[in-house]
């Protein structure tokens, strides 16, 4: 591949080699690489004509549509920094992002223009596709530093205000290229994307397939029937998403009606991935389901399980080529823990964020000498495959014992009637914190709280058993399809939350269940 140093021109080689091949496909609009290139140039020309200077921020308010691709590429070609907005956030949150980023322009899809005018106020001009549709498709190449900031997504802000993450051309190109090679994607591949394009999951897929000369089928949102129909119609070779999507897909009663033989592989991530889900998918489809791990600041991709070779369904896989990973002690970050032990993950690669926008103290705290402190707890095995246990803040101290919610979930998921679950901690007057669980069953009404607790006592450490269990029809998800643990915790607020509902005494001869000292089993699950 010819070395390119500007993310806005990620399609360069594909234009030269595959100009007439389709790049982006959606109902009512299909663009070849040549057409996409011309459209991106028009966006760049429009921004330049409106006085946008290199380095200034341009926000993008877009649902999943093909025109988002031309807008984001064109913004970066102009030298501006693209700030993708989560369209599912409330107006106040989006106004904060616009103010914090000091965006001088807000580009919006036709369906979002009215909202954009309300959000922008007097601080930025608003434009849509009709404003650049008639412009010249020529745009001069501008010189750029490969480490110049080109992309500024905002983190979800679950622990406070959203934070702008500064990403550069070189790092984003590194990620797209290394994932392309690792997953062996080429111009014959076609991806189906229904996750939000403003999120790193679908955003990385878009970049990877454009750099490979493949094509991307864009759906407005995830729908099981539409996903299956479009895989068959467009002969997609790949699709990816979060675990909730795959659960719904596998449970669909009409799955066998569709010809899905074009599929070669799939990827899953952005949330906890139980091993049983990977095994069920691979058994049903006969193709590899590659688990992975990444974060906006971290590459974004860090680990991806391989398509071929050593397969470990409960693992995130090894680090991508060019990515270093350290697992350090939670007590002393200068000490790396041995193989098999749990610690905080630190990563270093060309895609690690250059910093946080207007947050120098946080940047110094989280990013040191190119190493990013992720705040995630992992362990690794002798093959350098890594296993995720959750956020450092999620670790529960239950009467002096460390309890990882991920491991509790893995044990519950071993019960054949448990389809999905989420474990969080609640205050306890004696233990300090205890785990509780929200559970989705495969056969509603066939499993009760006492029975499931007893199952846990038989398969896991008693001190880690969930003191309360609520049965739901589905787990609450955030705007990007991730499990919303804050919403799960809110379900347990109120009467019974602080004392675990008396669960420590239910069917148990001691304060932590039957024969606590006889078991200390830790399930690997996806941990």
């Amino acid at each position: 591949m010819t070395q390119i140093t500007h993310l806005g021109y990620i399609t360069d080689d594909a234009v030269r080699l595959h100009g007439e091949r389709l790049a982006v496909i959606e109902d009512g609009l299909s663009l070849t690489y040549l057409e996409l290139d011309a459209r991106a140039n028009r966006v760049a020309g429009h921004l330049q004509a409106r006085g946008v200077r290199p380095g200034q921020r341009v926000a993008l308010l877009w649902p999943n549509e093909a025109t988002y691709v031309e807008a984001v590429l064109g913004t970066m070609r102009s030298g501006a920094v693209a700030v993708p907005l989560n369209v599912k956030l409330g107006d106040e949150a989006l106004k904060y992002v616009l103010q914090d980023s000091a965006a001088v322009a807000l580009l919006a899809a036709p369906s979002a223009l009215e909202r954009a005018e309300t959000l922008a106020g007097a601080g930025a001009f608003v434009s849509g596709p009709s404003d650049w549709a008639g412009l010249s498709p020529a745009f001069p190449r501008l010189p750029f530093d490969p480490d110049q900031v080109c992309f500024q997504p905002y983190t979800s802000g679950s622990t406070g205000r959203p934070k702008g993450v500064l990403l550069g051309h070189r790092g984003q190109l590194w990620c797209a290229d290394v994932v392309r090679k690792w997953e062996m994607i080429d111009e014959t591949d076609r991806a189906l994307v229904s996750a939000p394009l403003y999120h790193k999951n679908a955003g990385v897929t878009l970049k990877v397939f454009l750099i490979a000369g493949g094509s991307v089928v864009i759906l407005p949102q995830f729908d099981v029937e539409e996903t299956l129909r479009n895989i068959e119609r467009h002969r997609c070779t790949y699709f990816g998403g979060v675990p909730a999507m795959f659960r719904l897909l596998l449970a669909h009663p009409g799955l066998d009606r569709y010809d899905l033989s074009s599929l070669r592989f799939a990827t899953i991530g952005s949330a906890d991935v139980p091993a049983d889900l990977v095994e069920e998918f691979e058994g049903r489809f006969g193709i590899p389901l590659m688990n992975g791990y990444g974060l906006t600041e971290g590459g974004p991709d860090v680990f991806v399980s391989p398509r071929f070779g050593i397969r470990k369904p409960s693992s995130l896989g090894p680090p991508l080529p060019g990515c270093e990973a350290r697992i350090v002690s939670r007590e002393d970050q200068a000490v790396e823990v041995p193989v098999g032990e749990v610690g905080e993950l630190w990563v270093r690669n060309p895609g690690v964020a250059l910093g946080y926008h207007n947050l120098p103290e946080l940047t110094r705290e989280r990013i040191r000498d190119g190493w990013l402190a992720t705040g995630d707890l992992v362990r690794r095995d002798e093959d350098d495959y890594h296993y995720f246990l959750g956020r450092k803040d999620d670790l529960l101290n239950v009467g002096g014992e460390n309890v990882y919610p991920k491991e509790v979930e893995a044990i519950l998921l071993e019960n054949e009637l448990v389809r999905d679950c989420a474990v969080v901690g609640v205050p306890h007057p004696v233990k300090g914190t205890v785990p509780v669980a929200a559970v989705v069953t495969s056969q509603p009404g066939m499993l009760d709280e006492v029975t499931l607790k007893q199952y846990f006592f038989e398969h896991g450490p008693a001190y880690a058993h969930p003191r309360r269990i609520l049965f739901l029809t589905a787990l609450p998800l955030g705007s990007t399809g991730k499990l919303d643990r804050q919403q799960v915790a809110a379900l347990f607020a109120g009467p019974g939350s602080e004392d675990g509902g008396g669960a420590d005494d239910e069917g148990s001869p001691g304060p932590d269940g039957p024969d606590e000292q006889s078991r200390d089993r830790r399930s690997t699950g996806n941990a």
Side-chain angles (χ1 to χ4, degrees):
M1 185 189 76
T2 303
Q3 182 64 41
I4 52 179
T5 57
H6 190 323
L7 187 59
Y9 287 98
I10 195 170
T11 56
D12 263 12
D13 286 346
V15 169
R16 179 172 55 83
L17 297 173
H18 316 291
E20 298 297 340
R21 294 177 66 94
L22 289 177
V24 180
I25 303 166
E26 69 177 12
D27 279 349
L29 177 65
S30 295
L31 300 176
T32 67
Y33 275 93
L34 283 170
E35 290 169 335
L36 177 60
D37 189 64
R39 283 171 170 250
N41 280 343
R42 290 187 178 103
V43 174
H46 171 69
L47 292 175
Q48 189 179 71
R50 291 295 304 266
V52 176
R53 300 187 304 276
Q56 290 186 312
R57 272 53 176 175
V58 172
L60 308 174
L61 186 67
W62 239 275
N64 268 31
E65 294 179 5
T67 50
Y68 168 83
V69 185
E70 67 186 61
V72 71
L73 293 181
T75 295
M76 289 185 286
R77 288 185 184 192
S78 75
V81 178
V83 181
L85 300 179
N86 180 343
V87 296
K88 296 182 180 180
L89 289 180
D91 285 1
E92 289 308 309
L94 292 182
K95 286 179 180 178
Y96 171 79
V97 171
L98 290 170
Q99 180 181 13
D100 183 71
S101 65
V104 298
L106 175 53
L107 305 186
S111 62
L113 280 171
E114 185 175 343
R115 187 185 186 196
E117 293 285 0
T118 301
L119 292 171
F125 70 83
V126 175
S127 292
S130 62
D131 293 313
W132 56 76
L135 300 181
S136 168
F139 187 77
R141 295 299 182 94
L142 303 177
F144 291 98
D145 182 336
D147 291 321
Q148 180 177 324
V149 175
C150 63
F151 204 56
Q152 188 174 311
Y154 275 72
T155 59
S156 60
S158 59
T159 58
R161 286 191 179 276
K163 298 178 286 292
V165 180
L166 305 176
L167 303 175
H169 291 289
R170 188 200 307 272
Q172 294 297 286
L173 285 168
W174 167 82
C175 181
D177 195 37
V178 76
V179 172
R180 171 185 70 88
K181 293 171 180 174
W182 183 253
E183 297 183 357
M184 294 176 284
I185 296 168
D186 61 26
E187 71 276 6
T188 67
D189 279 302
R190 176 167 289 174
L192 180 77
V193 172
S194 57
L197 287 167
Y198 54 73
H199 185 248
K200 66 178 176 57
N201 188 313
V204 170
T205 298
L206 179 67
K207 296 167 191 171
V208 168
F209 276 75
L210 291 181
I211 206 171
S215 52
V216 180
V217 177
I218 298 175
L219 298 185
Q221 60 190 3
F222 176 74
D223 176 86
V224 176
E225 200 75 36
E226 284 300 299
T227 295
L228 296 171
R229 184 178 72 84
N230 278 277
I231 290 174
E232 179 183 70
R233 176 187 176 188
H234 296 292
R235 307 303 295 161
C236 295
T237 64
Y238 160 88
F239 77 99
V242 299
M245 295 179 180
F246 285 87
R247 292 272 189 210
L248 292 169
L249 197 72
L250 288 166
H252 188 62
L255 184 60
D256 293 332
R257 296 200 306 266
Y258 292 90
D259 177 9
L260 308 177
S261 60
S262 60
L263 287 173
R264 300 172 183 171
F265 70 105
T267 62
I268 187 170
S270 295
D272 298 340
V273 181
D276 74 293
L277 179 57
V278 177
E279 292 165 347
E280 182 181 0
F281 177 89
E282 293 186 343
R284 186 74 179 270
F285 282 80
I287 60 173
L289 176 57
M290 300 155 60
N291 195 358
Y293 164 91
L295 62 166
T296 304
E297 302 96 318
D301 284 7
V302 174
F303 306 116
V304 180
S305 55
R307 283 178 69 174
F308 305 103
I310 300 174
R311 298 286 296 156
K312 299 185 180 187
S314 61
S315 168
L316 303 171
L320 287 168
C323 180
E324 302 172 79
R326 296 166 49 197
I327 303 176
V328 304
S329 168
R330 296 190 299 277
E331 290 74 31
D332 185 351
Q333 294 177 338
V335 176
E336 292 193 47
V337 302
V339 169
E341 291 193 13
V342 178
E344 181 185 1
L345 174 67
W346 285 51
V347 299
R348 182 167 67 181
N349 61 57
V352 164
L354 302 172
Y356 293 94
H357 182 62
N358 287 339
L359 294 171
E361 291 186 8
L362 181 63
T363 298
R364 286 191 293 269
E365 176 187 335
R366 294 284 306 278
I367 304 172
R368 307 174 195 172
D369 297 325
W371 287 95
L372 171 72
T374 68
D376 288 332
L377 297 177
V378 302
R379 65 175 176 83
R380 67 180 184 277
D381 64 19
E382 63 281 355
D383 295 316
D384 206 25
Y385 279 53
H386 289 66
Y387 301 79
F388 177 75
L389 284 93
R391 293 288 298 167
K392 186 167 62 174
D393 296 341
D394 293 338
L395 177 63
L396 309 179
N397 187 313
V398 183
E401 296 281 0
N402 286 339
V403 174
Y404 301 98
K406 193 72 187 73
E407 293 190 331
V408 178
E409 292 166 1
I411 293 170
L412 294 174
L413 285 165
E414 291 177 1
N415 187 301
E416 62 182 9
L417 293 177
V418 175
R419 183 70 176 172
D420 207 354
C421 68
V423 172
V424 297
V426 298
H428 189 277
V430 177
K431 299 294 181 182
T433 306
V434 293
V436 293
V439 171
V440 178
T441 64
S442 57
Q443 299 180 44
M446 296 297 292
L447 189 63
D448 59 40
E449 184 175 15
V450 173
T451 302
L452 187 53
K453 284 182 182 178
Q454 187 60 39
Y455 177 88
F456 190 96
F457 287 138
E458 295 170 357
H459 294 81
Y463 61 79
H465 81 278
R467 273 49 171 191
R468 293 180 65 198
I469 299 175
L470 295 179
F471 293 92
L472 309 176
T473 56
L475 296 180
L477 304 177
S479 63
T480 58
K482 293 183 181 181
L483 173 69
D484 191 327
R485 291 188 181 272
Q486 287 186 327
Q487 287 193 51
V488 173
L491 296 173
F492 293 91
S497 62
E498 292 188 357
D499 62 2
D504 272 353
D505 299 323
E506 290 183 10
S508 58
D512 278 82
D515 194 14
E516 177 180 0
Q517 299 303 319
S518 68
R519 286 187 299 275
D520 189 22
R521 178 181 179 277
R522 295 284 179 141
S523 167
T524 55
N526 185 38

